Amino acid sequence: QVKTSTRTPLMSVLLEGDVACGKTALAAKLCKESDLPFIRMISPDAFLGKGEARKIDILQKTFVDSYKSSQGIIFLDDIERLIDFTPVGMRFSNALLQTLLVLIRKVPPVAGRRLMIVATTSCASILEDLQLTQAFNVTLHVSQLQNPEEIKAVLMGGEGGLSEDEAGNIADAINVLEKPIGIKQLLMVLEM
Protein backbone atom coordinates (compact mmCIF):
# COMPACT_ATOMS: atom_id res chain seq x y z
CA GLN A 1 0.00 0.00 0.00
CA VAL A 2 2.84 2.39 0.81
CA LYS A 3 4.54 1.57 -2.48
CA THR A 4 1.54 1.71 -4.79
CA SER A 5 -1.38 3.63 -3.29
CA THR A 6 -1.96 7.18 -4.44
CA ARG A 7 -4.54 7.72 -1.69
CA THR A 8 -2.56 6.55 1.35
CA PRO A 9 0.36 8.88 2.04
CA LEU A 10 0.69 7.60 5.62
CA MET A 11 0.33 4.08 7.01
CA SER A 12 1.12 3.30 10.63
CA VAL A 13 1.25 -0.17 12.16
CA LEU A 14 1.73 -1.14 15.81
CA LEU A 15 3.00 -4.67 16.45
CA GLU A 16 2.11 -5.71 19.99
CA GLY A 17 2.75 -8.92 21.88
CA ASP A 18 4.62 -10.57 24.72
CA VAL A 19 8.29 -9.93 25.33
CA ALA A 20 10.56 -12.00 23.03
CA CYS A 21 7.76 -13.12 20.69
CA GLY A 22 9.55 -11.78 17.59
CA LYS A 23 8.03 -8.32 17.08
CA THR A 24 11.35 -6.59 16.46
CA ALA A 25 12.55 -9.33 14.12
CA LEU A 26 9.28 -9.19 12.18
CA ALA A 27 9.45 -5.39 11.86
CA ALA A 28 13.12 -5.50 10.84
CA LYS A 29 12.36 -8.12 8.18
CA LEU A 30 9.52 -5.97 6.86
CA CYS A 31 11.86 -2.98 6.63
CA LYS A 32 14.61 -4.97 4.95
CA GLU A 33 12.32 -6.58 2.39
CA SER A 34 10.39 -3.39 1.64
CA ASP A 35 13.20 -2.17 -0.60
CA LEU A 36 12.12 1.43 0.05
CA PRO A 37 14.66 4.21 -0.45
CA PHE A 38 14.41 5.53 3.13
CA ILE A 39 14.51 3.22 6.16
CA ARG A 40 15.32 4.35 9.69
CA MET A 41 15.12 2.55 13.01
CA ILE A 42 14.83 4.37 16.31
CA SER A 43 15.43 2.11 19.29
CA PRO A 44 15.86 2.81 22.99
CA ASP A 45 19.60 2.17 22.85
CA ALA A 46 19.94 5.19 20.52
CA PHE A 47 18.46 7.29 23.34
CA LEU A 48 20.79 6.11 26.12
CA GLY A 49 22.37 9.01 27.97
CA LYS A 50 20.45 11.63 26.00
CA GLY A 51 18.18 14.22 27.57
CA GLU A 52 14.54 14.73 26.69
CA ALA A 53 15.19 17.67 24.34
CA ARG A 54 17.85 15.70 22.42
CA LYS A 55 15.50 12.71 22.06
CA ILE A 56 12.78 14.98 20.65
CA ASP A 57 15.32 16.44 18.20
CA ILE A 58 16.27 12.93 17.01
CA LEU A 59 12.62 12.00 16.46
CA GLN A 60 11.83 15.22 14.60
CA LYS A 61 14.94 15.03 12.42
CA THR A 62 14.17 11.42 11.47
CA PHE A 63 10.64 12.30 10.40
CA VAL A 64 11.74 15.45 8.53
CA ASP A 65 14.39 13.40 6.70
CA SER A 66 11.74 10.83 5.75
CA TYR A 67 9.61 13.54 4.13
CA LYS A 68 12.46 14.20 1.67
CA SER A 69 12.17 10.70 0.23
CA SER A 70 9.43 9.54 -2.11
CA GLN A 71 8.74 6.48 0.07
CA GLY A 72 10.05 5.43 3.44
CA ILE A 73 9.69 3.46 6.64
CA ILE A 74 10.39 4.59 10.17
CA PHE A 75 10.68 1.75 12.68
CA LEU A 76 10.06 2.72 16.33
CA ASP A 77 11.23 -0.21 18.45
CA ASP A 78 9.93 -0.65 22.01
CA ILE A 79 7.88 2.52 21.79
CA GLU A 80 7.16 2.45 25.53
CA ARG A 81 10.91 2.77 26.17
CA LEU A 82 11.16 5.67 23.73
CA ILE A 83 8.78 7.68 25.93
CA ASP A 84 10.68 6.68 29.11
CA PHE A 85 7.72 4.71 30.41
CA THR A 86 8.04 2.92 33.74
CA PRO A 87 5.15 1.01 35.33
CA VAL A 88 6.19 2.11 38.82
CA GLY A 89 4.00 5.11 39.40
CA MET A 90 3.01 5.13 35.71
CA ARG A 91 5.74 7.61 34.80
CA PHE A 92 6.70 8.65 31.29
CA SER A 93 7.90 11.71 29.41
CA ASN A 94 4.84 13.65 28.35
CA ALA A 95 6.95 15.76 25.96
CA LEU A 96 8.17 12.61 24.15
CA LEU A 97 4.65 11.16 24.15
CA GLN A 98 3.17 14.33 22.63
CA THR A 99 5.96 14.47 20.04
CA LEU A 100 5.29 10.90 18.95
CA LEU A 101 1.52 11.46 18.87
CA VAL A 102 1.97 14.41 16.50
CA LEU A 103 4.63 12.76 14.30
CA ILE A 104 2.82 9.41 13.94
CA ARG A 105 -0.33 11.16 12.75
CA LYS A 106 1.39 13.71 10.49
CA VAL A 107 0.91 13.09 6.79
CA PRO A 108 4.06 13.83 4.76
CA PRO A 109 3.76 17.53 3.85
CA VAL A 110 4.92 17.09 0.25
CA ALA A 111 2.36 15.73 -2.22
CA GLY A 112 3.21 12.30 -3.60
CA ARG A 113 5.43 11.31 -0.66
CA ARG A 114 4.50 8.20 1.29
CA LEU A 115 5.58 7.01 4.72
CA MET A 116 5.04 3.86 6.72
CA ILE A 117 5.59 3.86 10.47
CA VAL A 118 6.08 0.53 12.21
CA ALA A 119 6.31 0.38 15.98
CA THR A 120 6.61 -2.41 18.52
CA THR A 121 5.40 -2.68 22.10
CA SER A 122 5.08 -5.25 24.85
CA CYS A 123 2.48 -3.26 26.78
CA ALA A 124 -0.28 -2.19 24.39
CA SER A 125 -2.87 -1.83 27.18
CA ILE A 126 -0.78 0.84 28.87
CA LEU A 127 -0.18 2.64 25.59
CA GLU A 128 -3.92 2.57 25.06
CA ASP A 129 -4.38 4.48 28.32
CA LEU A 130 -1.87 7.04 27.01
CA GLN A 131 -3.88 7.26 23.73
CA LEU A 132 -0.83 6.17 21.76
CA THR A 133 -2.34 3.02 20.24
CA GLN A 134 -5.13 5.14 18.73
CA ALA A 135 -2.53 7.09 16.75
CA PHE A 136 -1.83 3.98 14.63
CA ASN A 137 -3.96 2.93 11.63
CA VAL A 138 -3.53 -0.76 12.41
CA THR A 139 -2.61 -2.74 15.52
CA LEU A 140 -1.50 -6.34 14.98
CA HIS A 141 -0.96 -8.92 17.70
CA VAL A 142 2.19 -11.02 17.40
CA SER A 143 1.64 -14.20 19.36
CA GLN A 144 4.08 -16.68 20.77
CA LEU A 145 4.46 -20.08 19.15
CA GLN A 146 1.52 -22.14 20.40
CA ASN A 147 1.95 -25.70 19.12
CA PRO A 148 4.49 -28.16 17.68
CA GLU A 149 3.52 -27.35 14.08
CA GLU A 150 4.39 -23.67 14.54
CA ILE A 151 7.66 -24.50 16.29
CA LYS A 152 8.55 -26.99 13.56
CA ALA A 153 7.85 -24.43 10.82
CA VAL A 154 10.20 -21.94 12.50
CA LEU A 155 12.96 -24.51 12.94
CA MET A 156 12.76 -25.61 9.30
CA GLY A 157 12.49 -22.12 7.84
CA GLY A 158 15.22 -20.08 6.22
CA GLU A 159 18.76 -20.92 5.27
CA GLY A 160 20.34 -23.47 7.55
CA GLY A 161 16.96 -24.73 8.73
CA LEU A 162 16.70 -28.15 10.32
CA SER A 163 15.43 -31.23 8.55
CA GLU A 164 11.79 -32.16 9.04
CA ASP A 165 12.68 -35.03 11.41
CA GLU A 166 15.06 -32.91 13.51
CA ALA A 167 12.58 -30.05 13.71
CA GLY A 168 9.72 -32.42 14.58
CA ASN A 169 11.67 -34.04 17.41
CA ILE A 170 12.64 -30.67 18.91
CA ALA A 171 9.11 -29.30 18.50
CA ASP A 172 7.67 -32.32 20.29
CA ALA A 173 10.21 -31.99 23.10
CA ILE A 174 9.51 -28.28 23.56
CA ASN A 175 5.76 -28.88 23.44
CA VAL A 176 6.11 -30.95 26.63
CA LEU A 177 6.51 -27.61 28.40
CA GLU A 178 2.79 -27.07 27.62
CA LYS A 179 3.06 -23.32 27.33
CA PRO A 180 3.59 -20.94 24.43
CA ILE A 181 7.19 -20.01 23.65
CA GLY A 182 8.63 -16.86 22.12
CA ILE A 183 10.98 -16.94 19.14
CA LYS A 184 13.93 -15.66 21.20
CA GLN A 185 13.32 -18.25 23.90
CA LEU A 186 12.99 -21.01 21.29
CA LEU A 187 16.30 -20.06 19.71
CA MET A 188 17.96 -19.94 23.13
CA VAL A 189 16.63 -23.39 24.04
CA LEU A 190 17.75 -24.69 20.64
CA GLU A 191 21.24 -23.31 21.22
CA MET A 192 21.38 -25.17 24.56
Side-chain angles (χ1 to χ4, degrees):
Q1 190 170 354
V2 172
K3 282 185 174 183
T4 61
S5 176
T6 57
R7 294 182 299 188
T8 308
L10 177 66
M11 171 60 72
S12 56
V13 178
L14 178 64
L15 300 176
E16 66 89 12
D18 294 328
V19 172
C21 70
K23 300 176 300 294
T24 299
L26 186 61
K29 184 169 177 62
L30 169 73
C31 290
K32 182 180 177 189
E33 291 185 358
S34 72
D35 199 32
L36 294 178
F38 181 92
I39 300 171
R40 292 292 183 277
M41 176 181 179
I42 300 175
S43 63
D45 60 336
F47 279 8
L48 287 176
K50 294 181 175 53
E52 186 176 73
R54 181 67 184 124
K55 293 175 185 180
I56 290 170
D57 286 345
I58 291 169
L59 288 168
Q60 288 179 321
K61 182 178 183 333
T62 303
F63 276 79
V64 167
D65 288 349
S66 77
Y67 303 146
K68 296 173 186 174
S69 178
S70 60
Q71 301 170 340
I73 294 182
I74 296 176
F75 172 20
L76 304 169
D77 194 27
D78 277 335
I79 198 165
E80 65 274 12
R81 300 285 165 250
L82 297 179
I83 62 169
D84 295 332
F85 173 78
T86 180
V88 179
M90 283 287 288
R91 291 192 295 224
F92 59 93
S93 165
N94 189 51
L96 284 166
L97 173 64
Q98 296 306 318
T99 299
L100 279 173
L101 284 170
V102 169
L103 292 173
I104 290 169
R105 292 178 177 144
K106 184 176 180 178
V107 173
V110 179
R113 305 287 166 95
R114 295 191 290 278
L115 176 64
M116 180 173 196
I117 302 164
V118 180
T120 64
T121 184
S122 297
C123 53
S125 61
I126 292 165
L127 295 184
E128 195 168 313
D129 292 341
L130 299 176
Q131 298 179 341
L132 192 51
T133 55
Q134 294 91 325
F136 290 89
N137 300 115
V138 178
T139 299
L140 299 173
H141 177 72
V142 179
S143 63
Q144 294 186 328
L145 303 172
Q146 304 291 323
N147 57 55
E149 293 78 29
E150 292 175 351
I151 295 169
K152 186 176 172 182
V154 168
L155 295 174
M156 290 174 55
E159 272 186 42
L162 300 177
S163 72
E164 188 169 349
D165 287 339
E166 290 171 323
N169 291 337
I170 292 170
D172 290 339
I174 290 173
N175 196 49
V176 171
L177 300 173
E178 293 186 9
K179 67 176 191 173
I181 187 169
I183 294 283
K184 282 185 183 178
Q185 188 178 12
L186 172 65
L187 295 175
M188 185 181 69
V189 169
L190 185 61
E191 183 76 18
M192 286 184 210

